[in-house]
Amino acid sequence: MPETWHLIPGFRSCSMPVISSKYEALAVDGGTPVRKTLLPYGRQSIGEDDIQSVVDVLRSDWLTTGPRVTEFEEAFAARVQAKYAVSFSSGTAALHGAAFAAGLRPGDEAITAPMTFAATANCVLYQGATPVFADVSADTLNLDPDQVELRISPRTRALLPVDYAGHPADLDVILELAVRHGLVVIEDACHALGAEYRGRLTGSIADLTVFSFHPVKHLATGEGGMVTTNRAEYAEALRRFRNHGISSDARQRQRDGQWHYEMVALGFNYRLTDIACALGLSQLKKLEANLSRRREIAARYQTAFRALAEVTAPAIRTEVNPAWHLYPIRLNLERLRTNRAQVFQALRAENIGVNVHYIPVHLHPYYRDRFGYRGGEYPVAENAYERLISLPMFHGMSDQDVDDVIAAVKKVTLAFAL
Ligand SMILES: Cc1ncc(COP(=O)(O)O)c(C=O)c1O
């Protein structure tokens, strides 16, 4: 700790006041917070139309796997320009379905990024296969195709890129690698509904693409997920897998006046309800508006933070139009006399609901214990992790909310600047 540590904002001491007159007093040191109430990092927006849509289903004959499921799937497939969309009870269940449809089984490997939510790698384990991590590119924090190539082995069956924060992965390069090595590409687009890559929409590009409808996402159904694909046999396998491995659903049997059904594979109950699909349908109508609002917010952030030497704003490659699920900045720690934990605490005290995405998956105790990771294996992801802070990003944010976030980041980083 430096000699002058007590002069550093945020290093609280009972015996000494910590603020030099050069700084506006930070809330963490007893100053006035930028906002009176906490601004969360993400939040759903539910309107009267959404509520009505759900109420209509509650008054109908079907609460699960009824007409809304098919309507939602068809509308979703049309929106992302895919041939088929199969709904699941969560993004995690959808990932599991995709891993099953891709044919992952014990002995296989699937290559994915460590900079993601654990569910991306867990779905490989659910199938008894092994997730192999490849480091990410320093600008986007998406899978680095060169690192992927180094890890392809005779056991590799799938590549699992993640569209981190809503910025599409290097899909053409990854697809080309997959074709060359005979692999299936499962894109984890849980952050990237509505994102574009070289003019194409996520959901229409990879063999299988997975989405999540968790409340902080672009479209909320409570819990919920979807897999899109252009191949009929994948769609068929996905539908069976989410319904116990049974070859027809209850509504189909009722329509056909049939009682007979066959379980042809081992599946799960991963069905999304009609209630959730009604909400999904009504939310889907607002997707365009939600995406534009997120892009507006991101543009304001980009302008503000590109001018701030203490932070690095997210990179945007020329070939993409991101969907901005998250807005993760990186702290330029070389220019700050503190670490991420203190900046995080200081921003929280200013009532800015910051978060961190992600603790690299291989560093979680489960992965360390099972696979022997020690840290240091994926230096780009690990270095980024030390610097990352996700700022609030959701379509319901007002301009004042955005201004508050910018003001708080400037206030805190200036106070800690070298
Ligand atoms: C990258 C990624 N993959 C998968 C998931 C899992 O989705 P869900 O929460 O819908 O199960 C998430 C959830 O946030 C995610 O961020």
Side-chain angles (χ1 to χ4, degrees):
M1 195 163 284
E3 278 283 280
T4 52
W5 67 273
H6 57 277
L7 294 174
I8 300 172
F11 276 100
R12 305 191 74 182
S13 147
C14 351
S15 54
M16 295 207 201
V18 289
I19 305 303
S20 125
S21 57
K22 187 172 144 198
Y23 307 112
E24 194 186 338
L26 295 183
V28 76
D29 290 321
T32 310
V34 165
R35 290 173 60 91
K36 286 204 174 79
T37 55
L38 183 75
L39 178 70
Y41 92 91
R43 185 167 58 201
Q44 74 278 13
S45 299
I46 299 292
E48 281 309 315
D49 48 343
D50 298 311
I51 293 168
Q52 194 51 52
S53 179
V54 170
V55 168
D56 290 346
V57 168
L58 292 176
R59 294 206 170 99
S60 78
D61 289 342
W62 292 96
L63 295 188
T64 192
T65 323
R68 294 287 172 267
V69 174
T70 317
E71 270 177 57
F72 183 39
E73 290 176 343
E74 286 176 1
F76 192 91
R79 175 60 182 81
V80 304
Q81 294 170 4
K83 277 198 184 147
Y84 308 98
V86 181
S87 59
F88 279 80
S89 53
S90 68
T92 304
L95 277 166
H96 189 184
F100 169 82
L104 280 175
R105 44 174 193 255
D108 291 341
E109 293 175 354
I111 302 177
T112 193
M115 183 51 72
T116 184
F117 184 56
T120 315
N122 291 350
C123 75
V124 179
L125 293 174
Y126 298 157
Q127 283 301 107
T130 306
V132 171
F133 297 105
D135 212 345
V136 292
S137 305
D139 60 341
T140 58
L141 304 185
N142 280 331
L143 261 186
D144 176 345
D146 293 338
Q147 293 296 318
V148 172
E149 191 154 19
L150 290 175
R151 299 193 184 252
I152 292 176
S153 81
R155 288 167 172 255
T156 311
R157 177 176 282 265
L159 304 180
L160 229 167
V162 179
D163 302 327
Y164 175 74
H167 185 297
D170 257 340
L171 292 170
D172 276 353
V173 191
I174 287 169
L175 284 163
E176 189 274 320
L177 270 179
V179 169
R180 194 145 37 95
H181 294 272
L183 312 173
V184 183
V185 176
I186 304 171
E187 180 186 350
D188 183 339
C190 285
H191 295 185
L193 174 55
E196 290 162 44
Y197 174 81
R198 296 191 198 281
R200 287 172 288 156
L201 285 161
T202 54
S204 68
I205 305 169
D207 297 306
L208 295 144
T209 308
V210 178
F211 297 92
S212 159
F213 308 135
H214 180 276
V216 294
K217 302 293 190 327
H218 303 75
L219 180 164
T221 62
E223 300 287 353
M226 192 76 84
V227 184
T228 60
T229 181
N230 287 328
R231 284 180 53 178
E233 61 273 30
Y234 284 151
E236 195 48 41
L238 290 162
R239 282 194 202 102
R240 263 190 270 124
F241 186 71
R242 67 149 181 220
N243 189 30
H244 308 278
I246 290 173
S247 52
S248 63
D249 68 38
R251 191 158 157 258
Q252 203 178 321
R253 287 197 296 280
Q254 196 197 54
R255 222 175 19 224
D256 302 345
Q258 291 287 339
W259 56 268
H260 184 260
Y261 65 87
E262 285 179 337
M263 187 197 131
V264 293
L266 186 62
F268 291 78
N269 178 354
Y270 277 160
R271 297 183 303 252
L272 191 60
T273 63
D274 253 39
I275 305 169
C277 288
L279 183 53
L281 270 166
S282 125
Q283 289 261 302
L284 190 60
K285 292 190 188 129
K286 297 182 253 188
L287 177 62
E288 219 42 66
N290 292 350
L291 277 165
S292 349
R293 179 60 186 152
R294 283 174 183 261
R295 286 174 178 144
E296 255 170 41
I297 296 166
R300 288 171 71 129
Y301 278 164
Q302 292 291 94
T303 309
F305 299 131
R306 277 189 186 137
L308 198 62
E310 288 73 26
V311 307
T312 300
I316 310 173
R317 297 227 181 138
T318 50
E319 68 272 21
V320 310
N321 186 7
W324 298 110
H325 162 51
L326 301 172
Y327 189 87
I329 56 168
R330 271 177 270 179
L331 300 176
N332 295 335
L333 293 174
E334 303 71 19
R335 304 187 73 109
L336 296 168
R337 52 184 159 188
T338 187
N339 56 22
R340 190 260 314 276
Q342 277 219 308
V343 174
F344 184 95
Q345 285 308 330
L347 285 167
R348 278 281 174 105
E350 301 295 338
N351 276 325
I352 305 299
V354 284
N355 213 320
V356 172
H357 299 92
Y358 287 99
I359 299 166
V361 179
H362 67 288
L363 298 182
H364 285 295
Y366 180 84
Y367 278 86
R368 285 180 186 261
D369 293 349
R370 182 158 170 181
F371 297 103
Y373 291 116
R374 297 266 165 277
E377 291 90 355
Y378 303 101
V380 180
E382 291 172 31
N383 180 283
Y385 165 60
E386 298 297 332
R387 297 155 182 267
L388 280 167
I389 292 192
S390 300
L391 301 179
M393 168 56 85
F394 55 95
H395 35 269
M397 283 174 78
S398 68
D399 286 350
Q400 185 59 53
D401 293 335
V402 179
D403 289 346
D404 288 347
V405 175
I406 294 170
V409 172
K410 284 186 178 165
K411 177 181 172 185
V412 169
T413 50
L414 182 70
F416 285 116
L418 279 171

